[in-house]
């Protein structure tokens, strides 16, 4: 890998994350800038390195990005076929598709799986789209949820009341006691 | 009665000569970066890590290299007996032969963080059946991660000549439940090295 390619690879991290602006990477940027532009980089300003990075990226073709990417540290293996062993560094799109086809459970080890392109529709076929139902402007999912929960709880309470009413029927002896009390 | 962790195998004489020491290159991975759900272990041996996976997050996770010089890295492990249980103390002592502002920033960041360390032993056992090199890589601090317990610099030091000596180890109370894990991916050392290489930060080149 050349210095310029290396710089293009870490450019995103360098621009986005301050902690990644290490002296090692600054040296690489200086070197790559000299290769690409033939000039020395200005290092007096705080944004000089970032500006130099943009200059490098603009003047070089960005590296072609692979469609599939494995998580760091993952090694894929197929039993009995050593040629299929790969890490992210050696992964090809064909190999990734082979793994996903034969071992779909290994999809968890991929950090990037490209979205499949839309299917090609033949000319003589027309696709009828379903009617769009526009949501109400005052539609609030939280209130709908709360109402539903309230209804459920009300139904529960009513059901409990009914069941309680059946079980706790006033016993006859209580009335007898009352009667005795009133007699006294 | 639950029966577990009983001795179930023999240890026979090792006819090979052991090689002492660890390599000068060690790999530091931030503890939060490890995807423990996707990392795998040998089903018969929880001390053999067969896949160490890093999370895909932003900023990206890497294994950062720390390079010593002339066998300047040291590693010790010791069992610590508690009242009821036994735990393990992992230690990693390393030296930085420089004192640049970047080195100091690295040390300050390391002091404030937890990390696991992958070390490479000089001893690589030849084993035609189970795979060569199962003794090479070890992971320190899998359970809780290590922290910097001591950082020292003496400009008049005759050995370090003004460099830094750092000691990474377990917390005072929280110790590791197991000895350092062996790291062996894909059944051979080449695959293990490839897996490790896929984790390395660009600055390792």
């Amino acid at each position: 890998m050349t210095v310029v390619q290396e710089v293009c690879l870490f450019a995103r991290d360098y621009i986005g994350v301050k902690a990644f602006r290490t002296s090692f990477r600054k040296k690489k940027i200086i070197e790559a800038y000299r290769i690409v532009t033939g000039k020395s980089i200005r290092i007096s300003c705080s944004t000089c390195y970032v500006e130099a990075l943009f200059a490098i990226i603009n003047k070089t073709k960005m590296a072609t990005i692979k469609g599939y990417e494995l998580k760091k540290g993952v090694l894929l293996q197929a039993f009995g076929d050593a040629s299929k062993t790969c890490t992210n560094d050696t992964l090809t799109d064909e190999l990734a598709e082979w793994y996903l086809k034969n071992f779909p459970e290994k999809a968890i080890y991929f950090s990037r799986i490209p979205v499949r392109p839309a299917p090609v529709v033949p000319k003589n076929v027309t696709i009828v789209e379903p009617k769009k139902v526009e949501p109400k402007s005052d539609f609030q999912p939280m209130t709908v949820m709360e109402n539903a929960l309230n209804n459920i709880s009300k139904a529960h309470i009513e059901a409990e009341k009914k069941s309680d009413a059946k079980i706790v029927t006033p016993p006859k002896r209580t009335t007898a006691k009352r009667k005795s009390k009133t007699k006294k | 009665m639950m029966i577990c962790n009983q001795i179930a195998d023999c240890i026979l004489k090792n006819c090979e000569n052991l090689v002492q020491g660890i390599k000068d290159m060690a790999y530091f991975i931030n503890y939060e970066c490890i995807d423990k759900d996707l990392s795998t272990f040998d089903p018969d041996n929880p001390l053999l890590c067969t896949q160490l996976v890093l999370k895909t997050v932003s900023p990206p996770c890497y294994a950062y290299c720390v390079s010593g010089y002339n066998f300047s890295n040291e590693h010790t492990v010791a069992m610590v007996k508690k009242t009821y249980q036994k735990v393990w103390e992992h230690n990693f002592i390393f030296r930085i032969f420089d004192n640049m502002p970047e080195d100091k920033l690295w040390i300050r960041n390391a002091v404030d963080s937890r990390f696991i360390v992958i070390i490479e032993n000089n001893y690589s056992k030849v084993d035609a059946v189970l795979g060569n090199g199962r003794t090479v890589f070890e992971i320190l601090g899998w359970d809780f991660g290590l922290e910097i317990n001591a950082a020292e610099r003496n400009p008049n030091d005759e050995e370090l000549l003004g460099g830094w000596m750092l000691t990474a180890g377990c917390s005072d109370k929280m110790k590791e439940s197991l000895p350092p894990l062996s790291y062996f991916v894909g059944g051979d050392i080449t695959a293990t090295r490839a897996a490790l290489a896929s984790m390395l930060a660009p600055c390792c080149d």
Side-chain angles (χ1 to χ4, degrees):
Chain A
M1 190 187 288
T2 63
V3 180
V4 178
Q5 283 174 329
E6 205 176 317
V7 167
C8 287
L9 275 178
F10 70 68
R12 195 188 174 104
D13 292 348
Y14 189 93
I15 294 163
V17 187
K18 227 174 185 180
F20 283 11
R21 294 175 189 178
T22 59
S23 57
F24 172 81
R25 287 181 171 176
K26 283 175 183 173
K27 277 181 197 169
K28 293 275 181 190
I29 294 169
I30 292 169
E31 208 178 326
Y33 189 78
R34 194 175 293 135
I35 292 166
V36 172
T37 63
K39 296 173 191 171
S40 296
I41 190 174
R42 289 183 302 125
I43 53 167
S44 53
C45 58
S46 59
T47 56
C48 284
Y49 286 99
V50 176
E51 284 171 25
L53 264 181
F54 281 116
I56 293 164
I57 291 165
N58 287 335
K59 292 206 173 188
T60 52
K61 282 181 184 176
M62 288 291 280
T64 50
I65 299 164
K66 276 193 291 185
Y68 295 87
E69 193 178 273
L70 280 174
K71 291 189 173 182
K72 291 188 181 84
V74 171
L75 180 116
L76 290 181
Q77 272 186 316
F79 184 74
D81 191 352
S83 66
K84 294 280 191 289
T85 303
C86 64
T87 62
N88 187 44
D89 299 336
T90 52
L91 182 77
T92 59
D93 286 355
E94 293 76 35
L95 204 51
E97 277 158 17
W98 184 86
Y99 269 109
L100 290 172
K101 190 183 171 189
N102 293 292
F103 306 99
E105 72 276 5
K106 293 201 174 181
I108 53 170
Y109 293 118
F110 284 82
S111 58
R112 188 174 62 221
I113 297 174
V115 181
R116 286 183 179 180
V120 180
V121 181
K123 284 179 182 175
N124 55 352
V125 176
T126 52
I127 296 171
V128 182
E129 286 187 9
K131 285 179 183 177
K132 284 183 182 176
V133 181
E134 289 186 4
K136 290 175 185 175
S137 58
D138 57 341
F139 175 72
Q140 288 177 327
M142 283 304 290
T143 50
V144 172
M145 285 285 286
E146 278 170 9
N147 289 339
L149 286 170
N150 285 338
N151 290 339
I152 291 164
S153 58
K154 274 178 190 173
H156 264 283
I157 290 162
E158 280 173 14
E160 278 176 6
K161 274 181 184 174
K162 279 178 185 175
S163 60
D164 287 348
K166 279 177 186 174
I167 294 161
V168 193
T169 46
K172 287 174 184 175
R173 58 178 176 173
T174 51
T175 50
K177 274 182 184 177
R178 276 180 196 167
K179 278 176 186 176
S180 63
K181 277 180 185 176
T182 47
K183 276 178 186 177
K184 282 177 186 177
Chain B
M1 183 184 155
M2 187 75 170
I3 297 170
C4 56
N5 294 355
Q6 289 192 332
I7 294 169
D9 210 347
C10 308
I11 291 183
L12 302 176
K13 183 178 174 0
N14 180 12
C15 295
E16 273 189 50
N17 289 326
L18 279 167
V19 183
Q20 67 186 96
I22 59 172
K23 300 269 189 215
D24 287 331
M25 188 71 90
Y27 308 93
F28 284 61
I29 303 171
N30 286 315
Y31 184 72
E32 293 78 19
C33 283
I34 297 159
D35 196 331
K36 290 204 172 185
D37 297 336
L38 292 184
S39 298
T40 55
F41 291 86
D42 187 293
D44 299 325
N45 188 349
L47 288 161
L48 177 55
C49 177
T50 51
Q51 186 136 274
L52 197 163
V53 183
L54 301 190
K55 286 178 186 166
T56 307
V57 289
S58 182
C61 292
Y62 288 114
Y64 293 98
C65 303
V66 173
S67 185
Y69 177 69
N70 212 7
F71 307 116
S72 60
N73 292 343
E74 295 171 36
H75 158 60
T76 59
V77 58
M79 194 199 80
V80 181
K81 192 179 179 308
K82 303 271 185 182
T83 309
Y84 307 108
Q85 297 279 331
K86 282 145 192 162
V87 288
W88 297 85
E89 174 86 52
H90 298 186
N91 285 313
F92 180 67
I93 301 164
F94 59 107
R95 292 163 178 86
I96 299 171
F97 295 91
D98 212 337
N99 189 35
M100 291 195 300
E102 289 79 15
D103 299 322
K104 290 184 217 173
L105 182 67
W106 190 97
I107 291 166
R108 198 211 59 188
N109 290 338
V111 163
D112 292 339
S113 64
R114 301 194 74 81
F115 45 83
I116 67 155
V117 181
I118 300 177
I119 57 165
E120 184 177 350
N121 288 301
N122 288 323
Y123 175 53
S124 172
K125 189 176 171 77
V126 178
D127 192 327
V129 181
L130 296 169
N132 295 334
R134 297 199 315 152
T135 56
V136 174
F137 289 103
E138 283 187 300
I139 302 168
L140 315 182
W142 178 262
D143 286 337
F144 303 111
L146 304 185
E147 60 183 328
I148 300 287
N149 287 334
E152 196 183 340
R153 176 178 178 264
N154 179 4
N156 296 331
D157 190 283
E158 290 179 0
E159 298 294 340
L160 275 172
L161 306 173
W164 285 87
M165 190 173 94
L166 298 127
T167 307
C170 299
S171 303
D172 292 345
K173 289 185 178 174
M174 307 282 270
K175 308 286 183 196
E176 294 290 314
S177 67
L178 295 169
L181 306 176
S182 296
Y183 177 56
F184 192 63
V185 184
D188 69 287
I189 191 67
T190 316
T192 309
R193 286 188 194 284
L196 182 61
S198 73
M199 293 190 278
L200 295 185
C203 54
C204 289
D205 295 338

